């Protein structure tokens, strides 16, 4: 009878092959730590941890054996750089509407400020798209001032006297009541003058001069009010009664009118012709003051330059205004209620036309 095989010399524990194979299988099924000092290897000598775990992609579990999860020790790799998406170009903005500017430097403010609104109650004419009127001086440090409102092409135009008078009549006919009311203020000034003279019955020169000066101040301010209304008309707005007096430079108005009056008086004292020439050269002085807030000397200089540059058509317009005024006076003075507004609008039309300015179409 054969003896049972004894343990092999290589097996120190004297275990059978079947028993040793089962132990090895069990050892393989254990979860082994990546730490060499972990006690899960049995003896802790490090000889049972002869296997090397395979580190796959960083941060993902590694499988070594039946279901043994392991995590790699590699650092987490940053994600690949992604090129920035090309940004679409900004949408094309429509061109800004033309803002009126002024002509040669040194003759007025920088023009109306964006967002400035006309006085309450004033409406534009049907179909007109007028710009905001220039009724306020620009802030200090603004652009250099220049001549009146500029149209889109900034080109002064030739003056047609017939067109100027026709424009004045059509604008007056479309908005007669405010013009008649403002002109009636002149009648009230005259009546006040007559009343004061009769009540005071001055016998010396000083009271007469004071009364005369008070009357002239009223007339000059009324002229500025009529110019303000005519500027609104050429802008394309229908002025109401209160908007005629919507100017903030009454001091410059009075000083300019006084200087022009003195120059004209000196001219008439020397000879009639120099007085007429002085009045002719100052024809647009109040327009530069009211529209551009120029000082007295600058306004008279700008007016003289404009008149001399366009002497022919301006002279024809001045003669037409004189004839219109005489006709209005002959009609018992009542014709002045029409002649004064039409003449003022016509002269303002000429001022804007000759300076390349804004003139709203009829």
């Amino acid at each position: 009878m054969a003896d049972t095989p004894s343990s092999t010399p290589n097996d120190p524990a004297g275990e059978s092959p079947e028993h040793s194979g089962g132990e090895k299988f069990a050892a393989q099924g254990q979860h082994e730590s990546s730490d060499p000092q972990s006690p899960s290897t049995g003896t802790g000598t490090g000889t049972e941890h002869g296997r090397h775990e395979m580190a796959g992609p960083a941060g993902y579990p590694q499988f070594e054996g039946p279901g043994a999860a392991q995590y790699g020790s590699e650092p987490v790799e940053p994600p690949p750089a992604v090129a920035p998406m090309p940004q679409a170009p900004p949408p094309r903005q429509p061109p800004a509407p033309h803002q009126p500017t002024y002509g040669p430097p040194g003759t007025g403010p920088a023009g109306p400020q964006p967002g400035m609104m006309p006085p309450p109650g004033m409406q534009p004419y049907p179909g007109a798209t007028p710009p905001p009127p220039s009724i306020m001086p620009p802030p200090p440090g603004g652009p250099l001032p220049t001549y009146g409102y500029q149209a889109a092409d900034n080109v002064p135009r030739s003056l047609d006297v017939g067109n100027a008078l026709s424009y004045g009549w059509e604008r007056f006919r479309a908005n007669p009541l405010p013009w008649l009311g403002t002109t009636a203020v002149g009648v009230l000034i005259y009546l006040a003058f007559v009343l004061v003279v009769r009540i005071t019955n001055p016998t010396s020169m000083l009271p007469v001069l004071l009364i005369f000066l008070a009357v002239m101040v009223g007339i000059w301010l009324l002229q500025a009010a009529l110019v303000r209304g005519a500027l609104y008309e050429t802008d394309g707005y229908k002025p109401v009664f209160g908007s005629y007096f919507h100017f903030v430079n009454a001091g410059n108005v009075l000083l300019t009118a006084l200087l022009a009056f003195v120059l004209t008086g000196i001219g008439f004292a020397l000879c009639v012709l120099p007085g007429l020439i002085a009045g002719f050269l100052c024809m647009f002085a109040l327009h530069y003051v009211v529209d551009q807030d120029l000082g007295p000397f600058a306004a008279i200089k700008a007016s003289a330059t404009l008149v001399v540059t366009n002497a022919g058509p301006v002279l024809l317009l001045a003669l037409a205004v004189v004839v219109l005024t005489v006709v209005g006076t002959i009609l018992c003075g009542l014709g002045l209620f029409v002649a004064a507004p039409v003449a003022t609008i016509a002269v303002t039309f000429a001022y804007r036309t000759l300076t390349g300015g804004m003139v709203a179409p009829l």
Side-chain angles (χ1 to χ4, degrees):
M1 183 175 63
D3 295 334
T4 301
S6 62
S7 300
T8 60
N10 296 329
D11 188 1
E15 297 176 350
S16 62
E18 294 82 2
H19 180 73
S20 64
E23 293 293 330
K24 291 179 179 180
F25 179 79
Q28 291 178 356
Q30 293 175 350
H31 178 277
E32 299 181 8
S33 172
S34 60
D35 188 356
Q37 303 297 330
S38 174
S40 63
T41 57
T43 60
T45 59
T47 56
E48 291 85 0
H49 194 66
R51 294 193 308 273
H52 297 280
E53 290 81 13
M54 300 296 293
Y60 290 88
Q62 313 301 313
F63 293 91
E64 190 178 46
Q70 283 246 342
Y71 288 85
S73 59
E74 298 180 3
V76 178
E77 298 179 1
V82 179
M85 295 293 294
Q87 296 182 355
R92 185 176 181 182
Q93 299 293 332
H98 173 73
Q99 294 290 338
T101 56
Y102 288 87
T107 57
Q113 302 301 309
M116 186 182 297
M117 298 301 295
M122 202 167 60
Q123 300 296 327
Y125 281 94
T129 56
S134 63
I135 58 178
M136 296 291 290
L144 288 176
T146 51
Y147 279 133
Y149 275 116
Q150 296 296 317
D153 52 6
N154 296 331
V155 177
R157 297 164 181 82
S158 59
L159 174 63
D160 186 284
V161 177
N163 288 341
L165 295 175
S166 176
Y167 192 91
W169 166 249
E170 292 297 331
R171 281 293 189 241
F172 169 75
R173 189 171 63 87
N175 190 33
L177 292 180
W179 282 103
L180 292 176
T182 307
T183 307
V185 175
V187 179
L188 295 178
I189 293 174
Y190 172 76
L191 294 178
F193 168 72
V194 174
L195 181 62
V196 169
V197 170
R198 289 189 176 183
I199 292 176
T200 59
N201 191 18
T203 56
S204 61
M205 183 62 66
L206 181 59
V208 173
L209 290 178
L210 292 178
I211 295 174
F212 178 76
L213 182 59
V215 171
M216 295 305 298
V217 167
I219 292 176
W220 293 336
L221 291 177
L222 178 62
Q223 289 178 346
L226 293 175
V227 169
R228 177 71 272 171
L231 289 170
Y232 283 140
E233 294 282 2
T234 55
D235 284 336
Y237 288 98
K238 286 184 174 182
V240 296
F241 180 77
S243 60
Y244 287 80
F245 304 92
H246 199 264
F247 53 89
V248 294
N249 47 7
N252 282 339
V253 166
L254 295 177
L255 291 176
T256 303
L258 178 61
L259 181 60
F261 178 78
V262 170
L263 292 176
T264 305
I266 293 175
F268 275 107
L270 297 177
C271 185
V272 176
L273 184 59
L276 294 176
I277 294 176
F280 179 57
L281 295 177
C282 297
M283 186 173 178
F284 301 107
L286 285 183
H287 292 78
Y288 281 103
V289 175
V290 177
D291 191 33
Q292 303 187 36
D293 196 25
L294 268 65
F297 294 98
I300 292 177
K301 179 182 178 181
S303 175
T305 301
L306 189 63
V307 169
V308 171
T309 306
N310 305 274
V314 173
L315 179 59
L316 291 178
L317 177 63
L319 294 176
V321 169
V322 170
V323 172
L324 191 62
T325 304
V326 171
V327 173
T329 305
I330 292 175
L331 298 176
C332 300
L334 297 178
L336 293 177
F337 282 90
V338 176
V342 172
T344 304
I345 299 174
V347 173
T348 305
F349 175 90
Y351 159 76
R352 284 285 176 84
T353 301
L354 296 176
T355 57
M358 172 66 189
V359 177
L362 294 173

